[in-house]
Amino acid sequence: MAKNDQYAQFIRDKKDTTENLEAIQMILTECVNEGMMDEDAHFYNEVLELIDEVHLIKTYPELAEVVDHAKTLESDIDAWLSMKQRETLSISWPQIPKQSNQ
């Protein structure tokens, strides 16, 4: 039974990660539409790549890697937003178990 609970949590964590990345994507789209420059769509393309990766993930270590990358990207985007005097992001990311077989 614990294995099913762990798998269900893994699916929720993947979903939460995807939703967070989609929220970042939406903010980037709004900013670009308002005239802010995302040089070569760098941030936007990174977000899209991470969203694609989440769909392929099958284990917690893989998810942890994507979440770590997403947190770094979020920090970079926060800095970009603050330079443009825009409100920064505040996203709550899933807590990934340190060692898990899932």
Side-chain angles (χ1 to χ4, degrees):
M1 189 65 161
K3 190 99 169 153
N4 287 341
D5 291 342
Q6 186 179 27
Y7 182 73
Q9 184 61 49
F10 175 71
I11 297 300
R12 283 191 297 273
D13 290 341
K14 278 182 60 169
K15 181 178 181 268
D16 291 345
T17 301
T18 300
E19 287 174 356
N20 288 347
L21 290 166
E22 288 171 347
I24 293 171
Q25 181 184 29
M26 184 179 70
I27 290 166
L28 286 171
T29 299
E30 289 173 6
C31 290
V32 169
N33 287 343
E34 291 174 8
M36 292 174 63
M37 294 298 296
D38 176 12
E39 295 296 323
D40 300 320
H42 173 75
F43 290 137
Y44 192 85
N45 289 335
E46 265 194 85
V47 170
L48 284 179
E49 287 174 18
L50 289 175
I51 290 170
D52 289 343
E53 280 185 50
V54 172
H55 294 296
L56 301 174
I57 288 172
K58 297 193 184 327
T59 66
Y60 262 121
E62 292 172 325
L63 184 58
E65 188 175 318
V66 169
V67 169
D68 286 344
H69 188 156
K71 286 178 180 180
T72 300
L73 181 59
E74 177 190 9
S75 294
D76 292 346
I77 292 170
D78 276 345
W80 179 69
L81 289 172
S82 67
M83 286 188 328
K84 305 293 184 180
Q85 299 173 349
R86 292 285 305 241
E87 189 173 317
T88 60
L89 306 170
S90 180
I91 295 177
S92 177
W93 295 94
Q95 296 296 315
I96 308 299
K98 290 293 180 198
Q99 293 194 3
S100 175
N101 294 333
Q102 198 43 253

